[in-house]
Amino acid sequence: MNRAPLIFLGAFLVLAFSWAGLVLTNQVGYGSLAPHFDDTENKAYPAQMAGPAAQGAAVYQDLGCAYCHTQQVRGGAQGADLTRLPKWGERDSYARDYLRDTRVQLGDLRVGPDLRNVGARDTDSTALYLHLYDPAHANPAWTMPSYNFLFEQRPITGEPSPLALKVPVAAGFEVLPTPRAVALVAYLLSLKDTYDYPDESQMNTPPAPPKTAAPAKGGPPVGATSVKSPASAATDAAKPAAAKP
Amino acid sequence: MSDAHSQTSPGEAGPIHTSLKVPLLVLLAFALLHLLAASALGLIAAIQLHTPGFFAGCEYVTFGRVYPAAINELAYGWGVNAGLAVALWLTARLARGTVPQGGLLVVAIVFWNLGVKLGVLGILAGDSTTFAWLEMPRYVGPFLLIAYTLIAAWVVAVQCRGVARWLYASQWYVLASLFWFPWLWSAAQLMLVFAPVRGTVQAVVAAWFAHNFLSLWFASLGLALVYYFLPKVLGRPIRGYYLSSMAFWLFAIFTTWAGAARLAGAPVPAWTQTAGRAANFMLLVPLAIFAVNFFGTLRAGGLRALRHSIVLRFMAVAAVVFTLWMLRGVVGALPGLTELTGLTWFNTAGDYAVVYGMFSMAAFGAVYYLAPRLLRRAWPSAILIKAHFWFATTGLVLGVVALSCGGIFVQGIGLANAKVPMAEINTGMVFWLHLATFAGILLTLGHLAFFVNFFKLVLCPRHRSAAAAAPVPAVLLRPSPELQAPAR
């Protein structure tokens, strides 16, 4: 251990080894995973994000929502996400679910609920606007801060806007979401992984009867290598899109 | 014996210290200013976690921005500046080389700090990349890399100019860290920001970067400091030193894989998660060697030395926290416990532990040792040094324990039980988050004490006259020929 070049070379090789082993192998393994085309529905899943939702993803990123909210559903042995009420998802998250996300924000801390399927829950834009404007509105226990800077207070001119929030406001004024709030809510409502991919669902144990716990699984499936497996064609027709809650 | 510069004859260290003085003080001054900024931002974020109304409605300090801003101030502002400072010091002292062209080095340092400041302001303005420990906006990435490379190249130049050809353990870690950081940074920036990979491969790259940044920069430089200061202060060689090169390579090989354990339960291949868990277990082997090296030396040196030397106390805390951090990695990787600790504050607390408890504590101790030697005058206040140590240690323990306990007993157990509503977990966490805020206040007070003492030392010339006679308060040292012995 007396030569600086030896240290440099060793340091390079050690890190290169882990980069090749962890990063490169995964990139080769499933970095080019393709969306699944469902012949019966004539649609590809995951579906492309619509324009406003894509803008909303940028707002989600810019406000750092991912520091408190994860976007990864864990059921079975990994967590209780599938059994809590309201459910955080119908199934575990798969790697394929994230193909449409330009920036994958899995998150690593759950201060608030998981949002991967917030669009599939019993919610709508009005409720989400209200929640962003005043999170304590529905439940004072929430420690989420107010995002009232995504809204503006304007004097009512003519008819009140249909988008106006039902919150206390000075007479003659209304509270309206700014374009950023509209985009963010469009993004949140677009978050729903309700389609179950035939390849991945095969890797899970058979779905449990409705009353028991969620289907368990051995490990998070990836299905990278099985994208073009003959089994996938066979199961395509048999597997309808999962029902929404 | 207790004199500020009893260690070295002016003839040997004189030119080295003279050439080190300006660049090192500039690095440390920037590091301290960033540390204060990180404390302020971190306190705001900590308060917001239990009192969401705090600064609510102000977009620039909303939690999702102020929290990554605080983390990046801490990591790149304090961590990298202080890390480069100690790397420069250790290299110059151990290789016995002088710093060439210090003025140019200062320019590079200023550029690095401009980049960090711009990056943090960018995060507050909403340009964060949202990848943990890599939030610096896209536009500062290459800028930071260039500035860093310049500074690191200077340290390597000092090594090359040195007359001592033997490499001591501290130098392995310093040289490797200097090289690992730009490697990690450019790979992660390229694969996540400039030519992003698709899908959850991004999460793999992000976890690989985050863990390696913590272990190959922070922990590694902390190890370099502990290896240097234990024998220096105790005046005896490292126990089982012959094992330390094995520990170095085993640590490097396994910790670079251990980051995959951060992905436990995430939608990435199961083998990746298993590899991460296995690597965490394998880290027990180098950990055993570190334990022999550090605690064996401390025990042989007599624990009473801890009462006399504040530098040793900082190093001992760093060694203990490092050990616990490595053990935490093993515990967190145990099947069954991962489900309880995943996505909770327990994991976040571990990250703080290594950055603050391991690296920063060791760096504080190092600054207490090197600043008086550079300036040839004593620290203005011994009380402030002691205050810093106790505030930092108490705040560290309280913060990490509060977040870990809350993370497991409230958040982890709550999330694992479908019947516990999220709002109840929130309510349960409020107590622990209050404790964490209190810990943050203690840490901030410690930083203020350090800041005042440091700038008084640098800027107040009235201490200069008393320099030769005045003992360095609380920094009592014995001469340590043992450390230098292998160099011959």
Side-chain angles (χ1 to χ4, degrees):
Chain A
M1 295 289 280
N2 201 6
R3 299 239 172 270
L6 181 80
I7 305 272
F8 279 122
L9 184 68
F12 172 80
L13 288 179
V14 163
L15 197 53
F17 178 52
S18 87
W19 179 81
L22 286 177
V23 176
L24 192 63
T25 313
N26 274 310
Q27 169 64 13
V28 170
Y30 73 103
S32 52
L33 192 65
H36 173 78
F37 190 81
D38 190 320
D39 293 327
T40 48
E41 295 188 39
N42 207 20
K43 267 172 86 176
Y45 288 96
Q48 276 306 310
M49 237 185 253
Q55 287 171 8
V59 179
Y60 187 91
Q61 180 187 334
D62 135 24
L63 294 175
C65 304
Y67 290 98
C68 294
H69 297 281
T70 53
Q71 285 195 27
Q72 43 177 323
V73 179
R74 300 175 168 198
Q78 296 283 351
D81 300 2
L82 305 182
T83 42
R84 54 176 62 243
L85 289 172
K87 281 183 192 172
W88 286 355
E90 289 291 323
R91 58 166 175 81
D92 286 20
S93 293
Y94 304 140
R96 205 189 293 269
D97 290 329
Y98 300 86
L99 292 181
R100 61 173 201 166
D101 301 22
T102 23
R103 178 139 305 164
V104 176
Q105 301 182 71
L106 293 182
D108 47 19
L109 181 62
R110 277 179 175 168
V111 176
D114 188 275
L115 296 182
R116 192 62 203 170
N117 288 295
V118 66
R121 284 176 215 156
D122 185 18
T123 188
D124 57 16
S125 53
T126 316
L128 287 174
Y129 284 135
L130 258 182
H131 189 65
L132 286 169
Y133 185 79
D134 180 15
H137 172 84
N139 187 342
W142 287 130
T143 46
M144 176 166 145
S146 163
Y147 289 85
N148 55 16
F149 51 80
L150 293 175
F151 298 84
E152 57 183 352
Q153 205 171 325
R154 279 202 312 230
I156 302 174
T157 46
E159 285 289 300
S161 163
L163 279 176
L165 266 62
K166 291 186 181 59
V167 290
V169 65
F173 284 84
E174 58 185 355
V175 173
L176 288 174
T178 60
R180 288 169 78 205
V182 175
L184 180 59
V185 166
Y187 171 67
L188 291 175
L189 288 175
S190 83
L191 288 173
K192 42 186 161 193
D193 294 334
T194 41
Y195 184 80
D196 206 0
Y197 304 97
D199 288 344
E200 279 86 349
S201 64
Q202 272 187 340
M203 293 175 162
N204 287 345
T205 47
K211 283 190 91 178
T212 58
K217 64 170 189 154
V222 165
T225 50
S226 58
V227 177
K228 292 183 178 65
S229 72
S232 91
T235 47
D236 268 3
K239 194 82 186 175
K244 283 208 319 189
Chain B
M1 199 157 180
S2 57
D3 186 39
H5 16 85
S6 63
Q7 293 299 295
T8 47
S9 62
E12 188 199 342
I16 297 178
H17 282 180
T18 313
S19 72
L20 272 175
K21 189 170 155 181
V22 174
L24 211 50
L25 288 178
V26 172
L27 271 173
L28 289 175
F30 274 123
L32 267 170
L33 289 169
H34 283 297
L35 185 62
L36 282 192
S39 316
L41 293 169
L43 265 185
I44 295 176
I47 294 171
Q48 283 174 337
L49 277 167
H50 49 76
T51 313
F54 192 65
F55 277 119
C58 179
E59 184 173 353
Y60 298 99
V61 283
T62 192
F63 179 79
R65 290 189 185 175
V66 80
Y67 174 71
I71 292 290
N72 281 266
E73 274 283 9
L74 182 72
Y76 296 96
W78 155 253
V80 175
N81 274 309
L84 286 167
V86 295
L88 186 62
W89 161 268
L90 287 176
T91 307
R93 287 308 314 272
L94 287 167
R96 304 208 193 104
T98 52
V99 182
Q101 300 291 332
L104 279 176
L105 176 55
V106 170
V107 174
I109 295 169
V110 170
F111 270 105
W112 168 266
N113 285 284
L114 278 178
V116 171
K117 224 19 169 195
L118 190 66
V120 171
L121 291 177
I123 293 171
L124 290 175
D127 294 335
S128 149
T129 66
T130 69
F131 294 114
W133 301 97
L134 189 73
E135 283 96 345
M136 284 289 176
R138 178 192 173 98
Y139 43 81
V140 295
F143 185 81
L144 285 177
L145 182 66
I146 295 169
Y148 171 88
T149 311
L150 278 172
I151 307 173
W154 240 275
V155 184
V156 176
V158 174
Q159 171 72 37
C160 295
R161 286 163 65 101
V163 289
R165 305 316 301 174
W166 175 272
L167 294 180
Y168 178 64
S170 301
Q171 286 166 290
W172 314 333
Y173 288 97
V174 165
L175 290 175
S177 296
L178 284 176
F179 180 70
W180 277 324
F181 177 72
W183 201 142
L184 278 171
W185 177 265
S186 39
Q189 287 274 329
L190 200 66
M191 298 190 81
L192 290 176
V193 181
F194 288 95
V197 288
R198 283 171 73 237
T200 57
V201 185
Q202 286 185 15
V204 178
V205 182
W208 176 80
F209 173 83
H211 179 85
N212 284 339
F213 182 39
L214 298 183
S215 65
L216 298 184
W217 181 262
F218 291 104
S220 175
L221 285 174
L223 287 169
L225 288 171
V226 176
Y227 268 115
Y228 180 79
F229 280 104
L230 288 191
K232 189 92 180 160
V233 178
L234 290 168
R236 53 173 51 252
I238 286 281
R239 186 104 188 228
Y241 182 78
Y242 65 97
L243 289 169
S244 55
S245 62
M246 205 198 330
F248 172 77
W249 290 116
L250 289 178
F251 175 71
I253 289 168
F254 294 127
T255 200
T256 44
W257 282 75
R262 295 169 90 91
L263 296 166
V268 300
W271 69 262
T272 304
Q273 307 168 28
T274 313
R277 289 174 194 231
N280 268 302
F281 277 99
M282 294 307 289
L283 279 171
L284 284 174
V285 181
L287 180 62
I289 303 179
F290 288 133
V292 170
N293 282 169
F294 299 156
F295 302 117
T297 312
L298 270 172
R299 208 168 144 228
L303 293 176
R304 281 175 58 204
L306 284 173
R307 281 172 54 192
H308 299 298
S309 168
I310 197 85
V311 176
L312 193 61
R313 269 193 244 167
F314 274 109
M315 296 301 153
V317 171
V320 170
V321 172
F322 175 72
T323 310
L324 294 176
W325 177 67
M326 298 268 274
L327 290 175
R328 192 215 70 90
V330 176
V331 170
L334 283 172
L337 275 177
T338 325
E339 292 70 38
L340 219 52
T341 58
L343 309 181
T344 69
W345 283 107
F346 179 81
N347 287 343
T348 318
D351 291 355
Y352 297 159
V354 68
V355 173
Y356 199 90
M358 166 65 180
F359 167 77
S360 302
M361 291 300 266
F364 293 147
V367 174
Y368 282 122
Y369 178 88
L370 63 88
R373 281 163 178 75
L374 279 184
L375 291 160
R376 298 189 167 275
R377 55 188 112 134
W379 283 101
S381 164
I383 293 172
L384 284 178
I385 300 181
K386 279 187 190 152
H388 179 204
F389 176 78
W390 286 111
F391 278 134
T393 309
T394 326
L396 167 74
V397 173
L398 189 64
V400 170
V401 167
L403 290 180
S404 301
C405 286
I408 289 192
F409 298 117
V410 179
Q411 209 183 1
I413 291 181
L415 286 171
N417 182 353
K419 294 205 172 61
V420 180
M422 200 67 212
E424 196 174 300
I425 301 177
N426 265 315
T427 320
M429 276 307 288
V430 164
F431 166 73
W432 299 102
L433 292 170
H434 268 111
L435 270 188
T437 302
F438 181 63
I441 294 172
L442 292 181
L443 293 180
T444 309
L445 288 175
H447 299 157
L448 281 173
F450 186 32
F451 182 83
V452 169
N453 219 2
F454 182 81
F455 280 90
K456 259 174 107 178
L457 174 75
V458 175
L459 301 175
C460 289
R462 70 195 160 88
H463 297 282
R464 195 180 312 212
S465 53
V472 181
V475 188
L476 305 176
L477 296 158
R478 277 183 271 165
S480 57
E482 285 86 348
L483 182 69
Q484 310 292 339
R488 303 292 173 191

